[in-house]
Each structure stands twice: as C-alpha cells, then as structure tokens.
Amino acid sequence: MNNSDILLESIKKYVDSKTSIKKSIICTIATPPPNITLNYENQTIPTKQIYVANYLLQNYHRQYKIDGVVDNIEINISEYDFDNTTKSDPVPQHPAHPIPKLQGSGKYKGSGVYQTHKDFWFTDTLQAGNEVLVEVVNNSYVVVAQIVRMPSGAKEGA
C-alpha cells in the first residue's frame, strides 16, 4: 500500500465513523412509559434518548370505519320477557282489562348491510420485562415494535 492508499483508507474510516449509525437491536423494557428506560447488554438507556412508536403507548387513538354485508345472522331467543303496561280504555260500568305480560321463545334470522364507525382507544402499553425491537439512530433509540421469542413467549392472537 502506498501513502495515498493509506490516507484514503484513513479518510474513509473517519467518514464512516461520523456518518449516521443505524442498527437494529433487541432491548428489554426496564421502566414502562411514560418514563421509559431500556436495558441493553447490562446497560440502561435513559428516557431522554428514547423515542417510541405511538401505537405502543397507552391511549393510542385511531378512527375506524367498516362497511360490510351480513350474510346470515341467527339468534336463538331462549327467553323473551317484556312488561306490557298497555291497558284497554274503560267502558262505563265495565272495568279496564290489563293486557297480559308477553312471554315466549323462538329464533330470529336475517341478513342485510351494515356500516359502522367510531374510535379505537388502545389502553395497553409496554410493560417492564417486554422485549422490543429498537432502531439505533445516531444517539437515539427508537422503539418500533414489541416482540416475543418463539415459541415460548408467543400467545395466540397476541
């Protein structure tokens, strides 16, 4: 290697050391939000260096809208209980007759179209001991997802 190659290699190493560092790591939540801290390789990462994806935080809010078709709905009615307060009008010299209480059972079937919209409020958040995927960007740690080790930590549907 000549002197110019050595100088070029030194400059390259210097530039590489100063450019943006981005790397994925797995951390454990030491302290849950809002004053979140992370553990990584026996080190604690302080709150001021941490960003968290908003969907992982308590009271994350999203609006939703669903349009759909009900192909079939069947509801078995094992008990129908309704207090009827209607009475017949009294006729002179004839007492009023109350209408008896309605009772019964049966089935209800139907189909149709539905639309719904409202808000989802997620009330859970990260807990101490949760494992998270973290992107390291310069001197910041960005928590992007909660993860589980397979198969022991996996929960169906979670």
Side-chain angles (χ1 to χ4, degrees), residues 27-89:
C27 295
T28 302
I29 302 293
T31 308
N35 297 315
I36 188 170
T37 59
L38 302 173
N39 284 338
Y40 178 69
E41 294 184 350
N42 298 320
Q43 294 180 357
T44 299
I45 301 167
T47 306
K48 65 183 178 183
Q49 288 183 269
I50 301 172
Y51 289 85
V52 179
N54 60 356
Y55 69 90
L56 295 170
L57 299 174
Q58 189 173 32
N59 293 321
Y60 173 66
H61 173 249
R62 293 294 303 256
Q63 294 179 354
Y64 76 91
K65 177 183 173 193
I66 301 173
D67 295 326
V69 174
V70 178
D71 293 323
N72 185 39
I73 184 169
E74 293 185 31
I75 302 171
N76 287 326
I77 303 169
S78 60
E79 182 179 332
Y80 178 77
D81 194 357
F82 178 79
D83 288 324
N84 192 336
T85 59
T86 306
K87 295 181 180 180
S88 62
D89 290 332

Side-chain angles (χ1 to χ4, degrees), residues 6-46:
I6 294 171
L7 179 61
L8 185 59
E9 188 65 29
S10 295
I11 291 171
K12 185 178 181 314
K13 284 181 182 178
Y14 177 78
V15 169
D16 287 346
S17 72
K18 298 299 181 188
T19 58
S20 176
I21 299 169
K22 184 177 178 190
K23 140 182 170 179
S24 298
I25 59 174
I26 295 174
C27 295
T28 302
I29 302 293
T31 308
N35 297 315
I36 188 170
T37 59
L38 302 173
N39 284 338
Y40 178 69
E41 294 184 350
N42 298 320
Q43 294 180 357
T44 299
I45 301 167

